[in-house]
Amino acid sequence: MALFEARGIHKRFGHQVVLENIDLSFEVGRLSGIMGPNGAGKTTCFNVLTGAFKPDRGRVVFDGEDITGLSPDAIARKGISRSFQTMSLFDEYSALENVLIALPEVRERGFNVIDLLATDGEAADRAAVVLARVGLSGREQRRAGDLAYGERRALEIGVALAAEPRLLFLDEPTSGLGAEATARLADLVLDLKRDYSIVVIEHDMRFLFGLADTISVIHWGQVIAGGTPDELRENKWVQRSMLAELGGSP
């Protein structure tokens, strides 16, 4: 059963059509991928799905509810969290404080994070559990700005998890990472896949093919193919339009 669906999504900026009749479906308990070359429209698609852009036509449905046109905050309150290609952390705050801010009870009450750390040990404990889940045990008191780049990527995922999402969107999580950090991130996402429904938009085909249950390929603003990684390896259209451009078979 689909947890999240996009139906007939169309988006243009001025005279430029960026998305045309996009249909996507993401199932409960699965890791779904979206991939495509630069300029294909996948980032715009991601922003439409998570509320940053309103589609010109079409519908976005989450768990049977039409959420088309809702703000990113309203969509987040429905149970959808996302990370960003360009990280959005509070660099002057510690790793623990970054996660603490994202806890639902903190967002609802608007507490000062410093006061909360001093008065609510239970919330701090929950934030520490989230950090442990993303491999940052022992880094709780490190400033976010002082963490290694790969650790910052993990922290941003932790911030997204702190909101207790039903669906987690990850936007280009390997961006800027070397081979070793990418491998660690793959291990983390594979672990998260056991407990979360996840959608990953990614340019690194090998990373995505190694993790995803299904992948949708976006090119020229349209979904040109979809299926399991094995099915896409055999798809002649995908081979002609993408595999050579992205560096050959995964």
Side-chain angles (χ1 to χ4, degrees):
M1 176 182 176
L3 176 64
F4 188 103
E5 293 180 281
R7 303 170 183 167
I9 297 297
H10 184 96
K11 183 65 183 176
R12 68 187 303 156
F13 295 101
H15 296 296
Q16 182 180 8
V17 176
V18 182
L19 300 176
E20 185 175 2
N21 200 32
I22 293 284
D23 289 326
L24 294 167
S25 179
F26 308 131
E27 295 184 7
V28 174
R30 310 277 278 178
L31 192 151
S32 306
I34 300 173
M35 72 177 192
N38 291 334
K42 61 186 188 297
T43 296
T44 298
C45 180
F46 211 70
N47 284 327
V48 169
L49 299 182
T50 55
F53 298 151
K54 183 176 180 179
D56 299 315
R57 292 200 307 269
R59 299 174 63 213
V60 180
V61 178
F62 178 56
D63 197 20
E65 179 182 358
D66 192 331
I67 60 170
T68 311
L70 293 184
S71 69
D73 284 346
I75 288 176
R77 287 193 293 271
K78 298 290 183 183
I80 297 173
S81 288
R82 66 167 293 181
S83 69
F84 294 85
Q85 183 177 359
T86 301
M87 285 184 283
S88 55
L89 299 172
F90 294 102
D91 283 347
E92 296 303 315
Y93 282 13
S94 70
L96 186 70
E97 290 166 344
N98 269 271
V99 173
L100 195 63
I101 291 169
L103 292 175
E105 64 268 35
V106 177
R107 286 183 176 272
E108 290 173 5
R109 292 182 290 183
F111 282 2
N112 179 289
V113 67
I114 304 301
D115 292 343
L116 188 63
L117 277 171
T119 60
D120 192 339
E122 186 176 332
D125 288 344
R126 283 198 297 278
V129 169
V130 172
L131 287 175
R133 184 70 192 270
V134 298
L136 293 177
S137 289
R139 298 288 192 273
E140 292 87 354
Q141 302 308 320
R142 291 283 298 275
R143 287 177 62 255
D146 293 335
L147 294 172
Y149 190 82
E151 292 174 332
R152 286 168 56 78
R153 282 284 175 200
L155 176 57
E156 191 179 34
I157 293 174
V159 170
L161 293 179
E164 301 175 0
R166 296 178 59 201
L167 181 62
L168 175 65
F169 281 86
L170 301 179
D171 186 0
E172 300 275 10
T174 70
S175 179
L177 297 181
E180 185 177 339
T182 296
R184 287 196 298 269
L185 181 64
D187 288 341
L188 170 59
V189 175
L190 191 61
D191 177 66
L192 296 176
K193 181 180 172 181
R194 297 182 303 176
D195 300 313
Y196 295 92
S197 303
I198 303 174
V199 180
V200 180
I201 182 173
E202 183 54 62
H203 68 280
D204 186 329
M205 192 171 64
R206 289 176 176 82
F207 177 86
L208 197 55
F209 271 51
L211 295 171
D213 296 299
T214 60
I215 299 171
S216 299
V217 182
I218 293 181
H219 208 355
W220 305 297
Q222 299 176 313
V223 177
I224 64 166
T228 67
D230 285 343
E231 288 169 342
L232 290 181
R233 286 185 180 96
E234 301 302 320
N235 185 293
K236 301 301 182 183
W237 177 249
V238 174
Q239 290 175 5
R240 287 197 302 272
S241 63
M242 291 204 55
L243 295 186
E245 181 175 348
L246 293 178
S249 298

